[in-house]
Amino acid sequence: MTSAAPGSVTQCATCGVERAEPLPEVCPICADDRQYVPAGGQRWTHPEASAAHGARIEFLEREADVINLVHRECPGIGQKPALIRTDHGNVLVEAPNHISEEAVAAVRGWGGISALIASHPHMYGVQSLWSAAFDDAPVYVSAPDEHWLGLRPRNTVVWGGGHQGEEIEIVPGVRASQPGGHFPGSAVVHWTARDGRGVLFTGDTIGTVADPRWVTFMRSFPNWMPLSGAVVRRIADHVARYEVDRIYANFGGCVPHDAGAAVHRSAERYARWVDGEYDDLT
């Protein structure tokens, strides 16, 4: 687990997460049962090679002060990091899997980046390069998942090593905590928008679904591995500390209103199904 200068970062082509030399035989994040190594085997790349094949970042304004960074032709799993714009500095939730001068200039136009936080290791992307592009902005990494770092950004802030309920304030008005679930250190980020409503950025801790009235919970989304009813209820109880009107997940999904209630009723429905309460319907 070493540091690397911009330009020397290698990425797994499958998950997009950065890694320093010497490279392992296979990406540990992809070899884990929450992800996968493709049938064609391990492949490595880097941002310069991706750019030569058309990789780029586009920008989508979701609401006032929330901008998604959208991957086009990039390595990795296609997450849509969210830039939260505040009067106290901007926070990038999840890290892109690509970086370019054009993308950095665009983010500067939105007010830059004061801090980065990934919800879990699948979202580390090339966070060291984005941090370096913004004066070594701090990169928040949850303590239970720190060992997944294949490259440590120069300004890494390890947090949440005490207990799962621990909370930090990244900038005034933007707080993070660790309900766990998908990973032991899986984090959510809460922000109070200018309309006074609470917005929760949930990563893979709470997943959006086709019906915006509901959400879901999984250990692995690509491999469809569930969590237990007890863990799902724990996650719902954890996020109940926040007033949540809207949810933004990490792949562009959204619960547009009354999201706190959606989490509660979804957790109950999920727990009852996995606990066998509805087995007679199967």
Side-chain angles (χ1 to χ4, degrees):
M1 187 166 56
T2 59
S3 298
S8 65
V9 169
T10 300
Q11 302 168 262
C12 173
T14 302
C15 68
V17 172
E18 63 188 8
R19 188 159 291 273
E21 303 282 351
L23 297 176
E25 183 176 343
V26 66
C27 170
I29 287 176
C30 291
D32 178 72
D33 63 6
R34 283 160 288 204
Q35 185 54 19
Y36 60 92
V37 177
Q42 180 65 47
R43 187 167 63 87
W44 302 99
T45 185
H46 53 84
E48 296 83 357
S50 300
H53 290 89
R56 64 195 186 280
I57 300 290
E58 297 179 355
F59 298 86
L60 174 65
E61 189 170 5
R62 301 301 303 272
E63 62 172 85
D65 300 323
V66 177
I67 298 96
N68 273 154
L69 281 66
V70 181
H71 293 87
R72 301 296 186 199
E73 307 300 325
C74 297
I77 56 181
Q79 69 264 28
K80 294 180 172 64
L83 185 69
I84 308 172
R85 301 175 69 222
T86 86
D87 293 337
H88 304 283
N90 296 349
V91 177
L92 185 61
V93 182
E94 319 299 14
N97 293 334
H98 184 64
I99 190 169
S100 66
E101 292 182 3
E102 294 80 7
V104 169
V107 171
R108 289 194 191 282
W110 290 106
I113 296 172
S114 296
L116 301 88
I117 181 168
S119 62
H120 64 286
H122 294 153
M123 302 289 110
Y124 287 165
V126 289
Q127 59 186 3
S128 69
L129 299 185
W130 280 93
S131 171
F134 290 91
D135 301 318
D136 286 338
V139 178
Y140 287 82
V141 174
S142 64
D145 299 335
E146 180 187 6
H147 65 283
W148 288 103
L149 285 171
L151 192 160
R152 179 180 290 270
R154 282 193 291 263
N155 191 4
T156 298
V157 178
V158 179
W159 67 285
H163 55 85
Q164 269 182 325
E166 189 172 339
E167 187 176 70
I168 57 164
E169 186 170 62
I170 302 171
V171 301
V174 180
R175 305 188 69 83
S177 61
Q178 296 174 14
H182 181 55
F183 275 77
S186 283
V188 295
V189 176
H190 184 268
W191 166 64
T192 302
R194 293 184 190 273
D195 64 2
R197 304 279 187 144
V199 181
L200 196 66
F201 299 84
T202 59
D204 279 349
T205 304
I206 300 170
T208 54
V209 295
D211 186 338
R213 299 172 299 171
W214 299 87
V215 296
T216 194
F217 313 82
M218 299 292 284
R219 173 171 170 82
S220 169
F221 283 90
N223 298 322
W224 300 112
M225 295 171 61
L227 295 168
S228 73
V231 168
V232 167
R233 287 188 169 107
R234 187 193 76 209
I235 292 169
D237 289 344
H238 178 106
V239 302
R241 71 181 63 187
Y242 300 116
E243 186 281 316
V244 181
D245 180 61
R246 304 183 288 280
I247 279 176
Y248 290 111
N250 52 341
F251 288 91
C254 176
V255 179
H257 54 80
D258 202 22
V263 171
H264 176 73
R265 64 173 170 266
S266 298
E268 281 304 307
R269 180 177 72 170
Y270 187 111
R272 289 174 179 174
W273 271 100
V274 298
D275 290 348
E277 187 170 330
Y278 300 129
D279 282 1
D280 62 302
L281 301 178
T282 63

